[in-house]
């Protein structure tokens, strides 16, 4: 590893250039004459002055301090860090698809609109929904969109007393946050001892102030809500709508569908289930599907097929409007489209089967070493607890940091909040049994060490570019930018 | 079903099933009520191999008229700028693009440091104290800014210039619909009722009329949707007078030559950073930036990278101020955002590094030179007329003799992507045409464009 | 002249000049006789920016008819196979493509191990004991093989089948012209004078006639230039009888289904590995492979990677047997080769890893299925006639009713890249046409091709 | 760094696949029926059975054990390891240029032929030659081609007694090797005390058996042959031809030209001077230029321009024939073409000026620390000797291995052979003064340590994936392939 401590700004040398632009070939405008003086910049922004070589080396070397799915195992629970097929990257950079302006005349963008239209069809089929909007930029954004639709639906019926959204405590954190942001009152319900929605508790709060319920399913414990049909019937019975957080669709593709479960709205995360890369933080894409009754409320435009031509339809009086510019994250959608077209129905089902088998395999192999709070057949992921280890002073954090030294990305830790010392493990279907076995072996060794020699686990990571970082300091006295 | 993406062989599958203690794959799904389990395959097209997929996608691409084969004069929020080759090479490093959000900082210094550098550059450009790691796009960034302002001062009204990108205003309208925050739009100056040099900018009198102690924030855009610069300073003074915040939507390329909103008194700067090294991508992914003055730092939405030290005292970076975030605070979080646009931000930071001080200025200047040249040339044809008088950047409004929709269609046959038709969004600007000219357009292309506009408008045979 | 590739600023240049102790840049070149120093700029086109370059190159590309937009039935030594996407992603890792030859093994394990894996795969495919790290192309690999053979047994005559790729034979002729090694070409069996199933293969009688104690080696190709399989075993026995070596030129894809030359008795296997994951690239770079039986290992030309251990006993790889090489042995080196085709070899090793046992067989089988289908369909039109009778692989010879050159031109208008016209290289095969059909061609494309050939030959309006 | 010791073969699992091919859509051929049995393979080749994920991870992780120009400083003398501009990679993968078959009708390949034709023109101008052939695949291959032309030229004149090629001992190793391979007798001449060709020695061997002289210029000491005009006149006077090894053209582009120096043939290395990447060993490209008299001998085809059309001319009776299939390494030529078109005349000159200044700067800054055998103004590179250090037991090899730990690729060592403990340093123009200063500082520290604490330098490298490797063992008992 090359140690290069500098920021790109610290490599700047006055007068050095890294760009290659065409020479200006039109008359020059005298800025001072054309613009009022106070509009013109007085001090240059502190951008670095570096050569192309500098830039390439800087970011290439930075990349080496980062771990991606192509580096190795990445069982980050809830994030579905599956392998991102390379062909999809190639597809996304076909100039004839990518170099398109969103406001072009639809007649000149029929290829892209056809992709969007078909993607709506495919995802509708996968979710068991009527139509899908591809506009939301991420899962959380899909949730917001769904909640706006719930609101619009009730308001359209002049039912303005429905102000509550019910959210089980095993739901993903974005669920309550989105509900709050959409202007709802969030009502939590606890999980029962099996890790599922407590039906009694649910029953007790259902009334005509309930706008809807948001269910992460499989939930953040990796469990399928066994009473899901009961739940959807109960909520519908009281007049509420049902929102399905389908970020965990990787567990059930081709096996079961939110629409069939009685849900009215569901989102999927293309950047998880549909193998588009997460880009170190994004971009993602969080399409939502809705049942027939809710189609009028979808954001505009909806792409319609009219006589073999694809037309963005803006004339939708009940639409909630727009939740994002243009058509959504087309570049991400393209990759997911490619994925669906290469996998087909049987491929997607095989994905879910393998994902679930892999998770259960690890669960089974670790159950003698770690506490597993809800230890039964899980879906695509499960949550273990390092509480046993914590007794000898070794926390989930310590275990995670030791995994770093073994070349493995740790599971999600301290999430979900309802499990203490949680480690949420999601292997995905793209990992081989050998990779799983290697992980299991290391996890077992760590469990043994936690008992025999807990101190030995406190100094990890030792092999990374930096050792443990002081997060408290970062938050107390935030340094959020470089200054000259 | 065998797939090159699923390494488990049939034999291994058997072994694993028995290790788990189940008889079959089906048994793994027994928690799913029987009646829900699908009895047949999903109705999806039959799978394609890699090569067939490539052919299929190329066929679809041929149904498009892209901006490589065609000459693009369309902007209106998304711009066709030159992207240095090195940018794509950097963001194609798997360590960057196949990583998740940097939850484990020790193996994520690449992403974290690049975000830190990005935050710095955005803060520098906008003249702000801090920036976040990016948001979905300019429109949602504006929405988040309004939320921040309203929460900060507890007020429930926001004044938005009509010269702000209509796409942004639409997002704002839908997102704020049930939030308790009301939006009042403020009109722009028309040519007829205004002294030269002001038309096309926000109508300060009308703004003044709507301003009150209830105003949480004023949101303006500069260069605005018509390409015209607003007097940010004057507006910020008005905002200050009533204790409202000023949110400025600014194009980052323009900030290579124009005074930063921070210096001119804005409290929050947001906008679309797609022009910084990101392709148009049919409108997504885009790159919303979000920058604030100090008082608002802990109220920013989204991810933020911060500097710290490791156990050996070495500089390092982490995601910070996470107490604001949804995975910890749930319904009390400042925003619901989890996923951002880090890879697009990496493209932006690579772009800005390559361009540097001088290059960014050069790009901005060429945009000015070329748009002014196009504007003058168009007017000289006598086939289009002036609409506004204030100085513009990269983009301008004119009124051609024939309808923009007709004109665009005719241009399309000439492999030209014409300007934006303002008619639908601005009925008072019926027949007006918003034309963008970036540094990418050569004089030759511009002349070709002007000639075509000329001949089409004359109804001559072009 | 400022360039983004030259980081030195003017100011730094001044400082460095004075550190060196010279007054000016010119002074650095004072060792060059004054009269030699150019007084004016080179006469080269004025520099283009990145973006202008891209436009310029796209303009040039539009003057080509490439194999993406057109359907390719041309082979004759370079083949249009499917290349998995992952290959390009692997060879685009800068650590691979921007490295030099691995002189410092401790920081070159990536290249060295991949070469070692490549050598293994080539040895496996060819049934040989070892392979080198690659040579320029199949033609130069054949030349090196002949040199090796002649040096090994001290003989000065080499028999080369006329059914070996003419391009290879030309290189051999020019390179050996003044070497003291003479080439005798051996004819192939014609349909008229041969039992069914043998025409198109080397004429064993003529071979026998030319074989002698002076024969250093026999060089054959299988599948040969006509796509036809040679009887390597029979030929190797003949070679052994006189103590000559057998050099077999084999297509690596075909070795997915055909017996390896090693098992059949060849001493050296060489050939073109472009079909393994490398694009056609207008004929270069290609990838010459070179594999031998044990006795010849230390006589191989070019680079070789070998396994060893580091000071801690861990497995590692180094360039080995360097005592053969020019930088040490100078004029006594086994070859002058310094640069090889490591990146193309990396593409090949990535390709073979992805394909695996099963995939390579599948590719080979599909080539057979599709070429046989095409062959039969063409014959069925009645517009082309059979030329040879022996079984072929991926490629076959037919004789259309009209001249191949005319036929190809007409096909070109249909966006089809037609077969190879054998007329120039084989006067006795005047009017014959060598058609290649890889796994890339769909039934639909083949039908389209056959229809067009049919209608063109019939002189109908196509 | 992730330690993964396995070869790809060792990751194979029976039945696993990594490919995605179209399904066979034509009738299947029964292999047993179609081919004689003895032609069919009896045992499968031991190719690995792995998934795409496995392959990507394997080679991605292998790449991390490799050092390229984008990683950092690479002053490998004689190799001109300059930065490879990214745009050139993009150009080389434009499908309309790359996906072309070499035997296509020239009318359907006018774009590519135009590039080849223009490249001939540009390189002719840069070298001061009449025409250039782009066929040779590398520098050494260009030498072979040039020597074949020399041979053909003399034979054409029926001058068969010219059997010798003179090669100075400061020439590159490929020069004598190529001469020998082309069937010449190689005659060495020594360097004089200034590191240049010993003119007296040259004089003494010039006679009518001399076919030609090959000169590496600047030579492997990094020095320009000051008597070059005298040399070319002397050789011409005795009827010999002059071959210019221009692999070091990076020193003199736009400053002086081999043709003007009286040379008849010259090669350049596109993979050095013209910034095309070296690919970890190749492919390269070694075009040669010749003077007018030698044009008839060039390999076929020569691309000619006939009425705005570009035509490959094969009808050249005196041609030496073909030295390689088709047109040469087109993919490499494309990158070099892009480079020349973006640099222009002034850019290329600036390259050479900066390359030479950088080399001299390092030379000057190291002269007090290391012995520099021919210490005067050098060209683009220079050779220092670690002989001083060797006295305390620290060899050039030790210094090189210590540089590895500092994240720097070492210079070429033990080459040229005429300098003991040689370290050949070529910084190139793409390196910044800061990079040079860092290298200088480290080299100085190593020199100091070599004196004060020589033992401390014997264990490097310590930070690399493997430590020093046993090269003797590798050569004694060669293991050149994996076996099951
Ligand atoms: C179950 C679940 N729901 C919602 C989300 C939010 O998705 P996004 O990050 O795309 O906003 C996530 C992602 O972490 C998730 O795992
Ligand atoms: C001076 C000189 N001549 C010739 C060569 C041979 O070039 P190539 O490696 O391309 O065969 C080299 C490369 O090392 C060189 O430096």
């Amino acid at each position: 590893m090359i140690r290069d401590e500098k920021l790109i700004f610290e490599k700047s040398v006055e007068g050095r250039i890294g760009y290659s632009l065409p020479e200006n070939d039109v008359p020059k405008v005298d800025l001072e004459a054309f613009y009022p003086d106070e509009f013109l910049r007085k001090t240059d922004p502190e951008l670095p002055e570096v050569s192309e070589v500098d830039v390439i080396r800087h970011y290439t070397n930075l990349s080496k301090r980062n771990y991606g799915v192509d580096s190795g195992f990445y069982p980050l629970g809830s994030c579905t860090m599956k392998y991102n097929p390379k062909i999809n990257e190639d597809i996304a950079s076909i100039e004839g698809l990518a170099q398109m302006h969103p406001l072009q005349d639809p007649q000149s963008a029929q290829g892209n609109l056809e992709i969007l239209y078909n993607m709506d069809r495919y995802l509708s089929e996968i979710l068991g929904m009527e139509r899908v909007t591809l506009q939301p930029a991420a899962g959380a954004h899909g949730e917001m969109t769904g909640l706006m639709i719930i609101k619009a639906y009730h308001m359209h019926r002049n039912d303005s007393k429905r102000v509550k959204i019910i959210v089980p405590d095993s739901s993903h954190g974005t669920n309550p946050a989105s509900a709050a942001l959409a202007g709802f009152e969030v009502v939590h319900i606890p999980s029962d001892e099996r890790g599922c929605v407590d039906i009694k508790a649910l029953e007790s709060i259902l009334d005509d102030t309930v706008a809807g319920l948001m269910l992460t399913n499989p939930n953040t414990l990796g469990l399928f809500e066994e009473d899901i049909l009961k739940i959807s019937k109960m909520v519908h019975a009281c007049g509420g709508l049902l929102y399905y957080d389908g970020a965990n669709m990787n567990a059930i593709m081709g096996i079961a569908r939110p629409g069939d479960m009685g849900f009215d709205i569901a989102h999927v995360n293309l950047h998880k289930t549909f193998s588009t890369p997460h880009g170190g933080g994004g971009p993602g894409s969080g399409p939502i599907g809705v049942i027939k009754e809710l189609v009028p409320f979808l954001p505009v435009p909806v792409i319609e097929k009219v006589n073999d031509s694809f037309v963005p339809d803006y004339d939708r009086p009940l639409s909630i409007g727009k939740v994002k510019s243009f058509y959504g994250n087309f570049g991400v959608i393209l990759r997911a489209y490619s994925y669906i077209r290469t996998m087909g129905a049987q491929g997607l089902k095989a994905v879910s089967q393998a994902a679930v088998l892999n998770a259960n395999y690890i669960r089974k192999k670790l159950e003698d070493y770690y506490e597993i709070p809800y230890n039964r057949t899980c879906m695509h992921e499960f949550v273990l607890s390092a509480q046993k280890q914590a007794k000898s002073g070794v926390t989930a954090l310590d275990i995670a940091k030791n995994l770093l030294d073994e070349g493995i990305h740790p599971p999600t830790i301290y999430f979900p909040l309802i499990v203490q010392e949680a480690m949420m493990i999601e292997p995905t279907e793209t990992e081989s049994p050998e990779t799983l076995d290697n992980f299991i072996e290391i996890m077992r060794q760590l469990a043994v060490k936690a008992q025999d020699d807990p101190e030995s686990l406190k100094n990890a990571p030792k092999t990374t570019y930096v050792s443990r970082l002081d997060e408290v300091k970062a938050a107390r006295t935030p340094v959020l930018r470089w200054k000259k | 079903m065998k797939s090159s993406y699923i390494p488990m062989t049939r034999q291994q599958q058997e072994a694993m099933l028995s290790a788990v203690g189940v008889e079959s794959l089906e048994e793994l799904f027994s928690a799913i009520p029987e009646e829900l389990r699908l009895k047949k395959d999903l109705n999806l097209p039959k799978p394609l191999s890699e090569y067939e997929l490539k052919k299929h996608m190329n066929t679809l691409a041929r149904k498009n008229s892209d901006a490589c084969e065609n000459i693009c004069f369309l902007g209106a929020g998304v711009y066709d700028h030159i992207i240095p080759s090195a940018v794509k090479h950097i963001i194609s490093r798997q360590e960057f693009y196949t990583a998740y959000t940097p939850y484990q900082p020790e193996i994520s210094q690449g992403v974290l440091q690049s975000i830190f550098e990005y935050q710095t550059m955005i803060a520098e450009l906008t003249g702000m104290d801090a920036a976040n790691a990016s948001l979905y796009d300019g429109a949602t960034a504006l929405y988040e800014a309004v939320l921040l302002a309203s929460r900060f001062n507890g007020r429930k009204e926001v004044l938005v210039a009509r010269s702000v990108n209509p796409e942004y205003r639409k997002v704002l309208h839908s997102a704020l619909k049930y939030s308790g925050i009301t939006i009042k739009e403020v009109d722009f100056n028309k040519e007829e009722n205004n002294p030269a040099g002001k038309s096309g900018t926000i109508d300060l009198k009308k703004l003044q009329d709507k301003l009150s102690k209830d105003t949480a924030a004023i949101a303006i855009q500069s260069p605005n949707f018509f390409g015209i610069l607003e007097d940010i300073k004057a507006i910020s003074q008005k905002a200050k007078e009533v204790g409202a915040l000023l949110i400025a939507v600014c194009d980052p390329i323009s900030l290579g030559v124009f005074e930063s909103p921070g210096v001119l008194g804005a409290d929050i700067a947001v906008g679309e950073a797609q022009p910084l090294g990101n392709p148009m991508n049919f409108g997504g992914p885009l790159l919303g930036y979000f920058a604030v003055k100090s008082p608002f730092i802990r109220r920013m939405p989204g991810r933020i990278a911060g500097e710290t030290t490791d156990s050996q005292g070495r500089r390092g970076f982490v995601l910070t101020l996470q107490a604001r975030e949804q995975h910890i605070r749930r319904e009390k979080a400042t925003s619901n955002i989890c996923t951002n646009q880090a890879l697009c931000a990496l493209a932006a930071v690579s772009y800005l590094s390559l361009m540097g001080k001088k290059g960014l200025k050069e790009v901005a200047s060429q945009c000015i030179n070329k748009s002014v040249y196009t504007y003058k040339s168009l007017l000289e044809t006598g086939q289009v007329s002036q609409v506004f008088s204030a100085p513009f950047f990269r983009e301008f409004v004119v009124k051609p003799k024939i309808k923009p929709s007709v004109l665009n269609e005719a241009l399309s046959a000439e492999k030209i992507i014409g300007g934006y038709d303002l008619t639908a969004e601005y009925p008072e600007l019926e027949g007006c045409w918003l034309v963008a000219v970036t540094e990418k357009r050569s004089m030759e292309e511009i002349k070709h464009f002007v000639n075509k506009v000329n001949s089409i408008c004359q109804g001559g045979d072009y």
Side-chain angles (χ1 to χ4, degrees), chain B residues 7-62:
Chain B
M8 185 190 292
T9 65
R10 180 150 297 274
Q11 209 175 329
Q12 290 179 319
Q13 184 181 297
E14 296 304 325
M16 289 170 75
L17 284 171
S18 85
V20 172
V22 293
E23 297 275 307
S24 66
L25 285 172
E26 288 61 44
E27 198 181 329
L28 289 173
F29 295 93
S30 49
I32 306 181
E34 167 60 25
E35 65 260 54
L36 288 179
R37 277 184 260 158
L38 291 176
K39 305 300 175 293
K40 57 182 174 67
D41 284 349
L42 292 171
N43 179 17
L44 293 173
K46 124 179 198 314
L48 299 174
S49 69
E50 261 195 34
Y51 174 65
E52 291 163 309
L53 176 72
K54 187 90 191 285
K55 273 212 288 192
H56 167 67
M57 300 310 281
N58 279 330
T59 308
L60 288 167
R62 277 190 288 269

Side-chain angles (χ1 to χ4, degrees), chain A residues 76-87:
Chain A
L76 190 69
S78 200
C79 300
T80 315
M81 291 300 282
K82 58 169 75 174
Y83 172 70
N84 310 123
K86 297 305 160 201
I87 182 69

Side-chain angles (χ1 to χ4, degrees), chain B residues 246-426:
Chain B
L246 177 62
I247 303 168
V249 178
C250 295
D251 175 80
I253 299 268
S254 76
L255 295 175
V257 292
F258 298 132
E259 190 54 278
S260 71
V263 167
L264 294 171
D267 300 286
I268 306 177
V270 295
E272 184 50 59
Q274 171 270 328
L276 304 175
N278 284 279
M280 300 192 292
N281 260 329
F282 206 45
L286 300 173
L287 173 59
Y289 76 79
F290 195 103
V292 296
K293 293 272 173 71
S294 311
F296 314 107
I297 286 181
R298 284 178 191 269
R299 293 169 178 270
M300 280 198 287
R303 309 286 185 178
I304 301 170
E307 186 181 314
T308 187
T309 45
D310 74 359
S311 61
Q312 297 175 44
R314 294 177 297 203
R315 175 164 69 183
F317 304 90
V318 292
L319 287 183
T320 192
L321 307 183
Q322 296 199 59
R324 305 160 299 117
E325 292 185 34
Q326 41 70 30
H327 60 283
I328 295 180
R329 299 266 290 173
R330 297 183 69 87
E331 70 274 17
K332 298 194 189 65
T334 47
S335 92
N336 68 336
I337 286 172
C338 180
T339 279
N340 54 46
Q341 310 287 106
L343 200 70
C344 306
L346 178 63
V349 80
S350 308
Y351 175 86
L352 287 172
S353 297
L354 289 161
M355 287 297 148
K357 272 182 208 179
K358 229 187 123 199
L360 190 69
K361 235 190 232 172
E362 176 68 18
V363 171
S365 304
Q366 288 205 24
C367 288
I368 295 168
N369 297 338
K370 291 179 176 181
S371 55
V372 168
Y373 175 73
T374 311
Y375 182 67
K376 289 186 178 162
S377 307
L378 281 173
L379 291 181
E380 272 167 21
T381 64
Q383 299 300 317
V384 311
S385 53
Q386 179 173 333
V387 176
F388 297 126
S389 56
F392 57 82
F393 173 79
R394 189 182 49 197
E395 206 160 8
F396 55 81
V397 177
V398 288
K399 187 166 183 173
K401 288 214 168 140
I402 64 176
K403 279 213 269 181
S405 55
V406 176
L407 180 53
N408 282 342
E409 209 183 312
L411 286 170
S412 169
E414 305 289 342
K415 293 199 152 280
I416 292 170
I417 301 172
Y420 176 83
D421 183 356
L422 288 160
T423 309
E425 298 297 338
Y426 297 93

